Amino acid sequence: MPKSRNSVLNSAFTKKIVSVKGGRPSEGRCKPVTVRFTEYEHDQLMQAVHETGMTASDLIRQTAAGIEIKARPAPVTNDLLKELIAWGNNLNQIAYKCNSGGSPIAEISEILTKCYNALARIEQTIQGGASK
């Protein structure tokens, strides 16, 4: 039975680690490939490199191997997610107080308002309209 294209590619791109005395292990990459791009193709590649944070070589290698490439998250999104996590921790503390007999209604209202605002900023960022 013939091998599928993906199984052939995956076996072709499996890394073979070779020890090198006195240096880092080589990954067996000894076959250079020269590729010429049009201006448009080069621009597309450089845009993908910028969006993923990968090198052009790694991006091309992983694409050829059929690995799904994802853009790295924008730093503004990370900041908003960290803030949302902090508010989630505050809500957990309030829930703990409520379950132990306390009733911090004012704290709950304030935290929920801040969470709602953080979620609104995250949604705006995801839709591309936010600036930090």
Side-chain angles (χ1 to χ4, degrees), residues 4 26-27 41-42 48-49 59 64 80-81 83 96 100 102 105 125:
S4 71
S26 166
E27 294 178 348
E41 292 167 337
H42 184 264
V49 163
L59 181 66
L80 292 174
L81 288 176
E83 184 177 338
Y96 178 80
S100 64
I105 300 297
T125 299

Side-chain angles (χ1 to χ4, degrees), residues 110-132:
E110 180 184 344
I111 297 294
L112 286 175
T113 300
K114 289 179 179 180
C115 285
Y116 175 79
N117 292 338
L119 282 171
R121 289 200 325 265
I122 289 171
E123 182 179 19
Q124 186 179 17
T125 299
I126 290 170
Q127 293 174 354
S131 61
K132 191 170 178 188

Side-chain angles (χ1 to χ4, degrees), residues 5-24:
R5 179 177 180 266
N6 284 342
S7 66
V8 171
L9 280 175
N10 287 339
S11 65
F13 286 96
T14 302
K15 293 180 181 180
K16 181 168 63 173
I17 306 296
V18 179
S19 279
V20 178
K21 186 176 180 178
R24 290 179 38 195

Side-chain angles (χ1 to χ4, degrees), residues 45-70:
L45 176 62
M46 291 299 105
Q47 180 179 350
V49 163
H50 178 72
E51 289 173 359
T52 62
M54 301 171 72
T55 65
S57 296
D58 284 339
L59 181 66
I60 291 168
R61 231 182 260 112
Q62 288 189 18
T63 302
I67 298 171
E68 182 181 351
I69 308 296
K70 296 181 181 177

Side-chain angles (χ1 to χ4, degrees), residues 29-113:
R29 294 190 180 123
C30 59
K31 301 289 185 186
V33 176
T34 303
V35 180
R36 295 193 182 275
F37 292 106
T38 64
E39 195 68 34
Y40 175 77
E41 292 167 337
H42 184 264
D43 290 345
Q44 293 296 306
L45 176 62
M46 291 299 105
Q47 180 179 350
V49 163
H50 178 72
E51 289 173 359
T52 62
M54 301 171 72
T55 65
S57 296
D58 284 339
L59 181 66
I60 291 168
R61 231 182 260 112
Q62 288 189 18
T63 302
I67 298 171
E68 182 181 351
I69 308 296
K70 296 181 181 177
R72 70 178 160 202
V76 93
T77 302
N78 287 338
D79 291 344
L80 292 174
L81 288 176
K82 286 177 189 174
E83 184 177 338
L84 184 60
I85 289 168
W87 293 124
N89 291 336
N90 288 340
L91 283 173
N92 283 337
Q93 292 171 2
I94 291 170
Y96 178 80
K97 285 181 185 177
C98 288
N99 289 333
S100 64
S103 180
I105 300 297
E107 288 180 61
I108 291 174
S109 177
E110 180 184 344
I111 297 294
L112 286 175
T113 300

